[in-house]
Amino acid sequence: MTEPLNRSTAQAAPAAPVRIVHLGLGAFHRAHQAWYTQHASDGAEWGIAAFTGRRPDAATALAGQDGLYTLIERGEGGDRFELMSAIVEAHDGADVAALARLVAAPATAIVTLTITEAAYHLGADGTLDFASPAVQADIDLLRQATAPGAAGTANDDGDRPPAAATPAGRLVQALAARRSTGAGPIAVVACDNLANNAAAARAAIGGLADVVDPGLGAWVAENVSFVGTSVDRITPRTTEADVALVEAECGYVDSSPVVTEPFSDWVLCGAFPAGRPDWASAGAVFVDTIEDFENRKLWLLNGAHSLMAYAGQLRGHATVAQALADPACAGWITEFWDEAERNLPAEGLGIPAYRAALLERFSNARIAHHLAQIAMDGSSKLRMRAVPVLKAELAAGRPGTGAARMIAAWVAFLRMARASGSTLADSAAVELGAALSLPAGEDLPALLGILDARLPGDAPAAAAVAAALDGLAVQRPA
């Protein structure tokens, strides 16, 4: 009988002390930040306590394996298996008592975030969206939870304190506990695909703290360093076949393996007042300014992904590799990349080599990166992946056809989903549904307004998207 995976059966080294807390326990974190931490020269000194987002399932499964899991690096020539041990605790994201205890611990130096773009609850202007019901609910709860004498940990009966709805709200609860214990400064490292993700994290977390308790907001401003990053490693969903493969190849039962590509990249910018692992020894790069690196990733990799996610599905494709093999999709990617490249610095980013590497990575058919997975939450993603390029091209007197086509493909995809009765997998599903229910011709301005409130009134931008929609209708296969 094959043994289950845990530190005893795997004869793994003792768990490292918790010094990093992570919010958003998913496959990407386990393929990226956890990998860099394990491969750092001092990785044995830096354990990660990870918390889930919406559901506790991943934490339950990993906790049963003492945090261990298998990383499958899937290259063109075969698979490589690595036992990962950097995660030493796994918790339900709603367990704010555990989160507060760990963040308040003096040994904890870093909080990392992979919570998805939509979970920051920011408006199109980059500030906290106070119209969001989740944000309003968190403000009410946090005012009670952070009041003097409020319980921040489980009581004697083991009852948990109420948890905020958003990741930012939960972290504010935990930071209030750190402030109370006097544990000192800490770094919050945003690892989501957002333009200027350090500022996004500051707007979400600092914005909540300011409203809930100005004193706490001032403490956050003085004691929390928000670190910006550009992160890159394609990580598709794990399948039952992958679970069976690990058992056959590794000789143990792992309920939670992660599949990823051999390539990885991490660029960071910001201060770590309480220290950090030697991530540079694992290949991470530290820079003084990060905006250009962020835009290179957001526009070239993520932008191409979004374009394929919508246009590819419209043309009947299911995976990135299938979409790239379609000459029409490949041509649209090249057109958009040319536009994006014109709005990035010519030096220092190695863009020609980056583009060539992306084509090679996208064409790896052994990585089944499903377009439906990428298509989720398009209303927040295209705001950063397509809109800035379209605006920049139009401002320079160019048509911005490639960026407009990405937005048009999103609109056509939404219309197709509505016509088929499919559920919209988007945090703005209610707003999108209302826009799509408008009479013909009125839905487009409403949809553009969800991406950016100024787009409907930008006549050249709206006209470019409308023209691209007409082109898609003509070129879509029967």
Side-chain angles (χ1 to χ4, degrees):
M1 180 178 176
T2 308
E3 292 185 306
L5 177 61
N6 56 51
R7 289 185 185 269
S8 175
T9 59
Q11 299 182 337
V18 174
R19 299 192 65 193
I20 301 172
V21 171
H22 180 75
L23 272 62
L25 174 55
F28 180 75
H29 166 68
R30 292 190 284 142
H32 193 272
Q33 298 92 49
W35 183 91
Y36 277 94
T37 300
Q38 180 156 318
H39 285 256
S41 62
D42 56 355
E45 302 171 15
W46 291 84
I48 301 170
F51 289 76
T52 58
R54 300 180 184 92
R55 296 167 55 90
D57 306 46
T60 302
L62 269 189
Q65 298 182 173
D66 298 329
L68 301 182
Y69 60 95
T70 309
L71 188 70
I72 307 171
E73 285 191 2
R74 183 152 289 164
E76 291 274 15
D79 293 335
R80 176 178 176 271
F81 302 87
E82 180 179 5
L83 181 64
M84 301 297 296
S85 59
I87 295 176
V88 298
E89 294 184 22
H91 298 273
D92 179 358
D95 189 353
V96 292
L99 180 64
R101 171 177 55 80
L102 288 163
V103 171
T108 300
I110 299 167
V111 176
T112 52
L113 307 175
T114 54
I115 58 177
T116 76
E117 298 92 331
Y120 286 81
H121 289 276
L122 303 179
D125 63 354
T127 62
L128 190 62
D129 181 9
F130 290 105
S132 164
V135 171
Q136 281 300 319
D138 275 3
I139 290 172
D140 294 339
L141 183 147
L142 289 169
R143 282 175 173 159
Q144 298 178 40
T146 59
T153 58
N155 61 27
D156 292 340
D157 296 325
D159 295 330
R160 295 178 180 177
T166 69
R170 293 173 181 178
L171 187 50
V172 167
Q173 286 179 271
L175 290 171
R178 187 174 181 91
R179 177 194 182 200
S180 298
T181 62
I186 192 169
V188 171
V189 184
C191 301
D192 288 291
N193 290 318
L194 289 159
N196 201 348
N197 51 21
R202 184 183 295 110
I205 297 161
L208 265 180
D210 286 338
V211 172
V212 168
D213 176 357
L216 177 59
W219 183 90
V220 168
E222 186 174 345
N223 291 275
V224 179
S225 170
F226 290 95
V227 177
T229 70
S230 172
V231 296
D232 192 357
R233 197 170 204 186
I234 295 172
T235 308
R237 284 198 177 103
T238 300
T239 67
E240 290 300 321
D242 297 320
V243 173
L245 178 66
V246 169
E247 182 175 359
E249 295 292 328
C250 301
Y252 52 72
V253 177
D254 180 357
S255 67
S256 307
V258 174
V259 178
T260 193
E261 63 175 335
F263 178 91
S264 66
D265 186 59
W266 199 8
V267 184
L268 302 95
C269 176
F272 291 83
R276 60 169 173 80
D278 181 18
W279 285 322
S281 65
V285 176
F286 292 83
V287 297
D288 293 329
T289 57
I290 199 167
E291 181 180 3
D292 293 336
F293 291 94
E294 289 178 327
N295 287 337
R296 181 186 69 173
K297 161 76 185 324
L298 284 168
W299 298 347
L300 299 182
L301 188 149
N302 300 124
H305 266 170
S306 287
L307 179 54
M308 286 187 281
Y310 305 118
Q313 288 190 87
L314 289 171
R315 295 178 64 81
H317 306 306
T319 68
V320 166
Q322 291 171 1
L324 185 64
D326 181 335
C329 288
W332 294 339
I333 290 168
T334 298
E335 182 179 35
F336 174 71
W337 276 356
D338 289 344
E339 294 174 0
E341 185 173 351
R342 284 195 288 267
N343 294 285
L344 289 167
E347 303 294 331
L349 295 179
I351 291 176
Y354 189 80
R355 287 176 57 164
L358 284 178
L359 290 175
E360 182 177 351
R361 294 165 63 195
F362 290 166
S363 64
N364 181 1
R366 299 192 69 244
I367 292 285
H369 203 179
H370 289 276
L371 300 178
Q373 178 186 359
I374 300 168
M376 297 171 63
D377 287 321
S379 64
S380 57
K381 291 175 178 176
L382 265 63
R383 189 176 296 152
M384 295 164 285
R385 302 178 183 186
V387 173
V389 176
L390 176 60
K391 287 185 173 182
E393 286 292 281
L394 292 172
R398 297 186 289 264
T401 305
R405 183 179 288 109
M406 189 193 308
I407 298 172
W410 172 70
V411 171
F413 175 81
L414 292 175
R415 287 174 173 173
M416 182 178 71
R418 176 175 172 78
S420 66
S422 301
T423 301
L424 298 178
D426 196 294
S427 62
V430 173
E431 294 86 346
L432 293 172
L436 290 165
S437 68
L438 293 171
E442 296 181 23
D443 64 336
L444 180 57
L447 291 169
L448 293 179
I450 293 170
L451 290 183
D452 185 318
R454 292 164 292 188
L455 272 186
D458 185 334
V465 174
L469 264 170
D470 291 339
L472 281 174
V474 170
Q475 298 185 54
R476 183 182 172 191

Coordinates of all heavy atoms in Angstrom, one line a residue, residues 234-310:
I234 N 3.9 30.1 -15.3 CA 2.6 29.6 -15.7 C 2.3 28.3 -14.9 O 3.1 27.4 -14.8 CB 2.6 29.3 -17.2 CG1 2.8 30.6 -18.0 CG2 1.4 28.5 -17.6 CD1 3.0 30.4 -19.5
T235 N 1.1 28.3 -14.3 CA 0.7 27.3 -13.4 C -0.7 26.8 -13.7 O -1.7 27.4 -13.1 CB 0.8 27.7 -11.9 OG1 2.1 28.3 -11.7 CG2 0.6 26.6 -10.9
P236 N -0.9 25.8 -14.5 CA -2.3 25.4 -14.8 C -2.9 24.6 -13.7 O -2.2 24.3 -12.7 CB -2.1 24.5 -16.0 CG -0.7 23.9 -15.8 CD 0.1 25.0 -15.2
R237 N -4.2 24.3 -13.8 CA -4.9 23.5 -12.7 C -4.3 22.1 -12.7 O -4.0 21.5 -13.7 CB -6.4 23.5 -13.0 CG -7.1 24.7 -12.7 CD -8.6 24.5 -12.5 NE -9.3 25.7 -12.1 CZ -10.0 26.5 -12.9 NH1 -10.1 26.2 -14.2 NH2 -10.6 27.5 -12.4
T238 N -4.2 21.5 -11.5 CA -3.8 20.1 -11.3 C -5.0 19.2 -11.6 O -6.2 19.5 -11.3 CB -3.4 19.9 -9.9 OG1 -2.2 20.8 -9.6 CG2 -3.0 18.5 -9.6
T239 N -4.7 18.1 -12.3 CA -5.8 17.1 -12.6 C -5.6 15.8 -11.8 O -4.6 15.6 -11.2 CB -5.7 16.8 -14.1 OG1 -4.5 16.1 -14.4 CG2 -5.8 18.1 -15.0
E240 N -6.6 15.0 -11.9 CA -6.5 13.7 -11.2 C -5.4 12.9 -11.8 O -4.8 12.1 -11.1 CB -7.9 13.0 -11.3 CG -9.0 13.6 -10.5 CD -8.7 13.5 -9.0 OE1 -8.1 12.6 -8.5 OE2 -9.0 14.5 -8.3
A241 N -5.2 13.1 -13.1 CA -4.1 12.4 -13.8 C -2.7 12.8 -13.2 O -1.8 11.9 -13.0 CB -4.1 12.6 -15.3
D242 N -2.6 14.0 -12.8 CA -1.3 14.5 -12.1 C -1.2 13.8 -10.8 O -0.1 13.5 -10.4 CB -1.3 16.0 -12.0 CG -1.4 16.7 -13.4 OD1 -0.7 16.2 -14.3 OD2 -2.1 17.7 -13.5
V243 N -2.3 13.7 -10.0 CA -2.2 13.1 -8.7 C -1.8 11.6 -8.9 O -0.9 11.1 -8.1 CB -3.6 13.2 -8.0 CG1 -3.6 12.3 -6.7 CG2 -3.9 14.6 -7.7
A244 N -2.3 10.9 -9.9 CA -2.0 9.5 -10.1 C -0.5 9.4 -10.6 O 0.2 8.5 -10.2 CB -2.9 8.9 -11.1
L245 N -0.1 10.4 -11.4 CA 1.3 10.4 -11.9 C 2.3 10.5 -10.7 O 3.3 9.8 -10.7 CB 1.5 11.5 -12.8 CG 2.9 11.7 -13.4 CD1 3.3 10.5 -14.3 CD2 3.0 13.0 -14.2
V246 N 2.0 11.4 -9.8 CA 2.9 11.5 -8.6 C 3.0 10.2 -7.8 O 4.1 9.8 -7.4 CB 2.5 12.7 -7.7 CG1 3.2 12.7 -6.4 CG2 2.7 14.0 -8.4
E247 N 1.9 9.6 -7.6 CA 1.9 8.3 -6.8 C 2.7 7.3 -7.6 O 3.5 6.6 -7.0 CB 0.5 7.8 -6.6 CG 0.4 6.5 -5.8 CD -1.0 6.1 -5.5 OE1 -2.0 6.8 -5.9 OE2 -1.1 5.0 -4.9
A248 N 2.6 7.2 -8.9 CA 3.3 6.2 -9.7 C 4.8 6.5 -9.7 O 5.6 5.6 -9.6 CB 2.7 6.1 -11.1
E249 N 5.2 7.8 -9.8 CA 6.6 8.1 -10.0 C 7.3 8.3 -8.7 O 8.5 8.1 -8.6 CB 6.7 9.4 -10.9 CG 6.2 9.3 -12.3 CD 7.1 8.3 -13.1 OE1 8.3 8.3 -12.9 OE2 6.5 7.7 -14.0
C250 N 6.6 8.8 -7.7 CA 7.3 9.2 -6.4 C 7.0 8.2 -5.3 O 7.7 8.2 -4.3 CB 6.8 10.6 -6.0 SG 7.2 11.9 -7.2
G251 N 6.0 7.3 -5.4 CA 5.8 6.3 -4.4 C 5.1 6.7 -3.2 O 5.2 6.0 -2.2
Y252 N 4.4 7.8 -3.2 CA 3.6 8.2 -2.1 C 2.3 8.9 -2.6 O 2.2 9.3 -3.8 CB 4.3 9.2 -1.2 CG 5.0 10.4 -1.9 CD1 4.2 11.4 -2.4 CD2 6.3 10.5 -2.0 CE1 4.8 12.5 -3.0 CE2 7.0 11.6 -2.6 CZ 6.2 12.6 -3.1 OH 6.8 13.7 -3.7
V253 N 1.3 9.0 -1.8 CA 0.0 9.6 -2.1 C 0.1 11.1 -1.8 O 0.2 11.4 -0.6 CB -1.2 8.9 -1.4 CG1 -2.5 9.6 -1.8 CG2 -1.2 7.5 -1.8
D254 N 0.0 11.9 -2.8 CA 0.0 13.4 -2.6 C -1.3 13.9 -3.1 O -1.6 13.9 -4.3 CB 1.2 14.0 -3.3 CG 1.2 15.5 -3.2 OD1 0.3 16.1 -2.5 OD2 2.2 16.1 -3.7
S255 N -2.2 14.4 -2.3 CA -3.5 15.0 -2.7 C -3.4 16.3 -3.4 O -4.3 16.8 -4.0 CB -4.4 15.1 -1.5 OG -4.0 16.1 -0.6
S256 N -2.2 17.0 -3.3 CA -2.1 18.4 -3.6 C -0.9 18.7 -4.5 O -0.2 19.8 -4.2 CB -2.2 19.3 -2.4 OG -3.3 18.9 -1.6
P257 N -0.5 18.0 -5.5 CA 0.6 18.4 -6.3 C 0.3 19.6 -7.1 O -0.9 20.0 -7.3 CB 0.8 17.2 -7.2 CG -0.5 16.5 -7.3 CD -1.2 16.8 -6.0
V258 N 1.4 20.3 -7.6 CA 1.2 21.5 -8.4 C 2.0 21.3 -9.7 O 3.2 20.8 -9.6 CB 1.8 22.7 -7.6 CG1 1.8 23.9 -8.6 CG2 1.0 23.0 -6.4
V259 N 1.4 21.6 -10.8 CA 2.1 21.5 -12.1 C 2.5 22.9 -12.5 O 1.7 23.9 -12.4 CB 1.1 20.9 -13.1 CG1 1.8 20.9 -14.5 CG2 0.7 19.5 -12.7
T260 N 3.7 23.0 -13.0 CA 4.2 24.3 -13.5 C 5.2 24.1 -14.6 O 5.6 23.0 -14.9 CB 4.8 25.1 -12.3 OG1 5.0 26.5 -12.7 CG2 6.2 24.5 -11.9
E261 N 5.6 25.2 -15.2 CA 6.6 25.2 -16.3 C 8.0 25.3 -15.7 O 8.1 25.8 -14.5 CB 6.3 26.3 -17.3 CG 6.5 27.7 -16.6 CD 6.3 28.8 -17.6 OE1 6.6 28.7 -18.8 OE2 5.9 30.0 -17.2
P262 N 9.0 25.0 -16.4 CA 10.4 25.2 -15.9 C 10.8 26.6 -15.6 O 11.5 26.9 -14.7 CB 11.3 24.5 -16.9 CG 10.4 23.6 -17.6 CD 9.0 24.2 -17.6
F263 N 10.2 27.5 -16.4 CA 10.6 29.0 -16.3 C 10.0 29.6 -15.1 O 8.9 29.3 -14.7 CB 10.0 29.7 -17.6 CG 10.3 31.2 -17.6 CD1 11.4 31.7 -18.1 CD2 9.4 32.0 -16.9 CE1 11.6 33.1 -18.1 CE2 9.6 33.4 -16.9 CZ 10.7 33.9 -17.5
S264 N 10.7 30.5 -14.5 CA 10.2 31.3 -13.4 C 10.9 32.7 -13.4 O 12.1 32.8 -13.8 CB 10.3 30.6 -12.0 OG 11.7 30.5 -11.7
D265 N 10.2 33.7 -12.9 CA 10.8 35.0 -12.8 C 10.2 35.8 -11.7 O 9.0 35.7 -11.4 CB 10.6 35.8 -14.1 CG 11.3 37.1 -14.2 OD1 12.5 37.1 -14.1 OD2 10.6 38.1 -14.4
W266 N 11.0 36.5 -10.9 CA 10.5 37.4 -9.8 C 11.4 38.6 -9.7 O 12.6 38.5 -9.5 CB 10.6 36.6 -8.5 CG 9.7 37.1 -7.4 CD1 8.8 38.1 -7.5 CD2 9.7 36.6 -6.1 NE1 8.2 38.3 -6.3 CE2 8.7 37.4 -5.4 CE3 10.4 35.6 -5.3 CZ2 8.4 37.2 -4.0 CZ3 10.1 35.5 -4.0 CH2 9.1 36.3 -3.4
V267 N 10.8 39.7 -9.9 CA 11.4 41.0 -9.7 C 10.8 41.8 -8.6 O 9.5 41.8 -8.5 CB 11.3 41.9 -11.0 CG1 12.1 43.2 -10.9 CG2 11.8 41.1 -12.2
L268 N 11.6 42.3 -7.6 CA 11.0 42.9 -6.4 C 11.6 44.3 -6.2 O 12.8 44.6 -6.6 CB 11.3 42.1 -5.2 CG 10.8 40.7 -5.1 CD1 11.9 39.7 -5.6 CD2 10.3 40.3 -3.7
C269 N 10.8 45.2 -5.6 CA 11.2 46.6 -5.4 C 10.6 47.0 -4.1 O 9.4 47.1 -3.9 CB 10.8 47.5 -6.5 SG 11.2 49.2 -6.3
G270 N 11.5 47.3 -3.1 CA 10.9 47.8 -1.8 C 11.8 47.4 -0.6 O 12.8 46.6 -0.8
A271 N 11.5 47.8 0.6 CA 12.3 47.6 1.8 C 11.7 46.4 2.6 O 10.5 46.2 2.6 CB 12.3 48.8 2.6
F272 N 12.6 45.7 3.2 CA 12.2 44.6 4.1 C 12.8 45.0 5.5 O 13.9 44.5 5.9 CB 12.8 43.3 3.6 CG 12.1 42.8 2.4 CD1 12.5 43.3 1.1 CD2 11.1 41.9 2.4 CE1 11.9 42.9 0.0 CE2 10.5 41.4 1.2 CZ 10.9 41.9 0.0
P273 N 12.0 45.7 6.3 CA 12.5 46.2 7.6 C 12.9 45.2 8.6 O 13.7 45.4 9.5 CB 11.4 47.2 8.1 CG 10.2 46.7 7.4 CD 10.6 46.2 6.1
A274 N 12.3 44.0 8.5 CA 12.6 42.9 9.5 C 13.3 41.8 8.8 O 13.4 40.7 9.4 CB 11.2 42.4 10.0
G275 N 13.9 42.0 7.6 CA 14.7 41.0 7.0 C 13.9 40.2 6.0 O 12.7 40.3 5.9
R276 N 14.6 39.4 5.2 CA 14.0 38.6 4.2 C 14.9 37.4 3.8 O 16.1 37.4 4.1 CB 13.7 39.4 2.9 CG 15.0 40.0 2.3 CD 14.7 40.5 0.9 NE 15.8 41.3 0.3 CZ 16.9 40.7 -0.3 NH1 16.9 39.4 -0.4 NH2 17.9 41.4 -0.8
P277 N 14.4 36.4 3.2 CA 15.2 35.3 2.7 C 16.2 35.8 1.6 O 15.9 36.8 1.0 CB 14.3 34.2 2.1 CG 12.9 34.6 2.7 CD 13.0 36.1 2.9
D278 N 17.2 35.0 1.3 CA 18.2 35.3 0.3 C 17.6 34.9 -1.1 O 18.1 34.0 -1.7 CB 19.5 34.7 0.6 CG 20.6 35.0 -0.5 OD1 20.4 36.0 -1.3 OD2 21.5 34.2 -0.6
W279 N 16.4 35.5 -1.4 CA 15.8 35.1 -2.7 C 16.6 35.3 -3.9 O 16.5 34.6 -4.9 CB 14.5 35.8 -2.8 CG 13.4 35.4 -1.9 CD1 13.1 34.1 -1.5 CD2 12.4 36.2 -1.3 NE1 12.0 34.0 -0.7 CE2 11.5 35.3 -0.5 CE3 12.1 37.5 -1.2 CZ2 10.4 35.8 0.2 CZ3 11.0 38.0 -0.5 CH2 10.2 37.1 0.2
A280 N 17.6 36.2 -3.8 CA 18.4 36.5 -5.0 C 19.3 35.3 -5.3 O 19.5 35.0 -6.5 CB 19.3 37.7 -4.7
S281 N 19.6 34.5 -4.3 CA 20.4 33.3 -4.6 C 19.6 32.2 -5.3 O 20.2 31.3 -5.9 CB 20.9 32.7 -3.3 OG 19.8 32.2 -2.5
A282 N 18.3 32.4 -5.3 CA 17.4 31.5 -6.1 C 17.0 32.1 -7.4 O 16.2 31.5 -8.2 CB 16.1 31.1 -5.3
G283 N 17.5 33.2 -7.8 CA 17.2 33.9 -9.1 C 16.4 35.1 -9.0 O 16.1 35.7 -10.1
A284 N 15.8 35.5 -7.9 CA 15.0 36.7 -7.8 C 15.9 37.9 -8.1 O 17.1 37.9 -7.8 CB 14.3 36.8 -6.5
V285 N 15.3 39.0 -8.6 CA 16.0 40.2 -9.0 C 15.5 41.4 -8.2 O 14.2 41.5 -8.1 CB 16.0 40.5 -10.5 CG1 16.6 41.8 -10.8 CG2 16.6 39.3 -11.3
F286 N 16.3 42.2 -7.6 CA 15.9 43.3 -6.8 C 16.3 44.6 -7.5 O 17.4 44.8 -8.0 CB 16.5 43.3 -5.4 CG 16.0 42.2 -4.5 CD1 16.5 40.9 -4.6 CD2 14.9 42.4 -3.7 CE1 16.0 39.9 -3.9 CE2 14.4 41.3 -2.9 CZ 14.9 40.1 -3.0
V287 N 15.3 45.5 -7.7 CA 15.5 46.7 -8.5 C 15.0 47.9 -7.8 O 14.3 47.8 -6.8 CB 14.7 46.6 -9.9 CG1 15.3 45.5 -10.7 CG2 13.2 46.5 -9.6
D288 N 15.5 49.1 -8.2 CA 15.1 50.4 -7.6 C 13.7 50.9 -8.0 O 13.0 51.5 -7.3 CB 16.1 51.4 -7.8 CG 17.5 51.1 -7.2 OD1 17.4 50.5 -6.1 OD2 18.5 51.5 -7.7
T289 N 13.4 50.6 -9.3 CA 12.1 51.0 -9.8 C 11.5 49.7 -10.6 O 12.3 49.1 -11.3 CB 12.1 52.2 -10.8 OG1 13.0 51.9 -11.8 CG2 12.6 53.4 -10.0
I290 N 10.2 49.5 -10.5 CA 9.7 48.3 -11.0 C 8.6 48.5 -12.1 O 8.2 47.5 -12.8 CB 9.1 47.4 -9.9 CG1 9.0 45.9 -10.3 CG2 7.8 48.0 -9.4 CD1 8.8 45.0 -9.2
E291 N 8.1 49.7 -12.3 CA 7.0 49.9 -13.2 C 7.2 49.3 -14.6 O 6.3 48.6 -15.1 CB 6.7 51.4 -13.3 CG 5.5 51.7 -14.2 CD 5.2 53.1 -14.3 OE1 5.9 54.0 -13.8 OE2 4.2 53.5 -15.0
D292 N 8.4 49.5 -15.2 CA 8.6 48.9 -16.5 C 8.5 47.4 -16.5 O 8.0 46.8 -17.5 CB 9.9 49.4 -17.1 CG 9.9 51.0 -17.3 OD1 8.8 51.5 -17.5 OD2 11.0 51.6 -17.3
F293 N 9.1 46.8 -15.5 CA 9.0 45.3 -15.4 C 7.6 44.8 -15.3 O 7.2 43.8 -15.9 CB 9.9 44.8 -14.3 CG 11.4 45.0 -14.5 CD1 12.0 46.1 -14.0 CD2 12.1 44.1 -15.2 CE1 13.4 46.3 -14.1 CE2 13.5 44.2 -15.4 CZ 14.1 45.3 -14.8
E294 N 6.8 45.5 -14.4 CA 5.4 45.2 -14.3 C 4.7 45.3 -15.6 O 3.9 44.4 -16.0 CB 4.8 46.1 -13.2 CG 5.2 45.9 -11.8 CD 4.5 46.9 -10.9 OE1 4.3 48.0 -11.3 OE2 4.3 46.5 -9.7
N295 N 4.9 46.4 -16.3 CA 4.1 46.6 -17.6 C 4.6 45.6 -18.6 O 3.8 45.1 -19.4 CB 4.3 48.0 -18.1 CG 3.5 49.0 -17.2 OD1 2.6 48.6 -16.6 ND2 4.0 50.2 -17.2
R296 N 5.9 45.2 -18.7 CA 6.3 44.2 -19.6 C 5.6 42.9 -19.4 O 5.1 42.3 -20.3 CB 7.8 44.0 -19.4 CG 8.4 42.9 -20.4 CD 9.8 42.6 -20.1 NE 10.0 41.9 -18.8 CZ 11.2 41.3 -18.4 NH1 12.3 41.5 -19.2 NH2 11.2 40.7 -17.3
K297 N 5.4 42.5 -18.1 CA 4.7 41.3 -17.8 C 3.2 41.4 -18.1 O 2.6 40.5 -18.7 CB 5.0 40.9 -16.3 CG 4.0 39.9 -15.7 CD 4.2 38.5 -16.1 CE 3.2 37.5 -15.6 NZ 2.7 37.8 -14.3
L298 N 2.6 42.5 -17.6 CA 1.2 42.7 -17.7 C 0.7 42.8 -19.2 O -0.3 42.2 -19.6 CB 0.7 43.9 -17.0 CG 0.6 43.9 -15.4 CD1 0.5 45.3 -14.8 CD2 -0.5 43.0 -15.0
W299 N 1.5 43.5 -20.0 CA 1.1 43.7 -21.3 C 1.5 42.5 -22.3 O 0.7 42.1 -23.0 CB 1.7 45.0 -21.9 CG 1.2 46.2 -21.2 CD1 0.2 46.3 -20.3 CD2 1.8 47.5 -21.2 NE1 0.1 47.6 -19.8 CE2 1.0 48.4 -20.4 CE3 2.8 48.1 -22.0 CZ2 1.3 49.7 -20.2 CZ3 3.1 49.5 -21.8 CH2 2.3 50.3 -20.9
L300 N 2.7 42.0 -22.1 CA 3.2 41.0 -23.1 C 2.7 39.6 -22.7 O 2.1 38.9 -23.5 CB 4.7 41.1 -23.2 CG 5.3 42.4 -23.7 CD1 6.8 42.3 -23.8 CD2 4.7 42.8 -25.0
L301 N 2.9 39.2 -21.5 CA 2.4 37.9 -21.1 C 0.9 37.9 -20.8 O 0.2 37.2 -21.4 CB 3.2 37.3 -19.9 CG 2.9 35.9 -19.5 CD1 4.2 35.2 -18.9 CD2 1.8 35.7 -18.6
N302 N 0.5 38.6 -19.8 CA -0.9 38.6 -19.4 C -1.8 39.2 -20.4 O -2.9 38.7 -20.6 CB -1.1 39.4 -18.1 CG -0.2 38.9 -16.9 OD1 0.5 39.6 -16.3 ND2 -0.4 37.6 -16.6
G303 N -1.3 40.2 -21.2 CA -2.2 40.7 -22.2 C -2.4 39.7 -23.3 O -3.5 39.5 -23.8
A304 N -1.4 38.9 -23.7 CA -1.5 37.9 -24.7 C -2.4 36.8 -24.2 O -3.3 36.2 -24.9 CB -0.2 37.3 -25.1
H305 N -2.3 36.5 -22.9 CA -3.2 35.5 -22.3 C -4.6 35.9 -22.4 O -5.5 35.1 -22.8 CB -2.8 35.2 -20.8 CG -1.8 34.1 -20.6 ND1 -1.2 33.9 -19.4 CD2 -1.4 33.1 -21.5 CE1 -0.4 32.8 -19.5 NE2 -0.5 32.3 -20.8
S306 N -4.9 37.1 -22.0 CA -6.3 37.6 -22.1 C -6.9 37.6 -23.5 O -8.0 37.2 -23.8 CB -6.5 39.0 -21.5 OG -6.3 38.9 -20.1
L307 N -6.0 38.0 -24.5 CA -6.4 38.1 -25.9 C -6.8 36.7 -26.3 O -7.8 36.4 -27.0 CB -5.3 38.7 -26.7 CG -5.6 38.7 -28.2 CD1 -6.9 39.4 -28.6 CD2 -4.4 39.4 -28.9
M308 N -5.9 35.7 -26.0 CA -6.2 34.3 -26.4 C -7.4 33.7 -25.6 O -8.2 33.0 -26.1 CB -5.0 33.4 -26.1 CG -3.9 33.6 -27.1 SD -2.5 32.4 -26.9 CE -1.6 33.1 -25.5
A309 N -7.6 34.2 -24.3 CA -8.7 33.6 -23.5 C -10.0 33.9 -24.2 O -10.9 33.1 -24.2 CB -8.6 34.2 -22.1
Y310 N -10.2 35.1 -24.7 CA -11.5 35.5 -25.3 C -11.5 35.2 -26.8 O -12.5 34.5 -27.2 CB -11.7 37.0 -25.0 CG -11.7 37.3 -23.5 CD1 -10.7 38.2 -23.0 CD2 -12.5 36.7 -22.7 CE1 -10.6 38.4 -21.7 CE2 -12.5 36.9 -21.3 CZ -11.5 37.8 -20.8 OH -11.4 38.0 -19.5

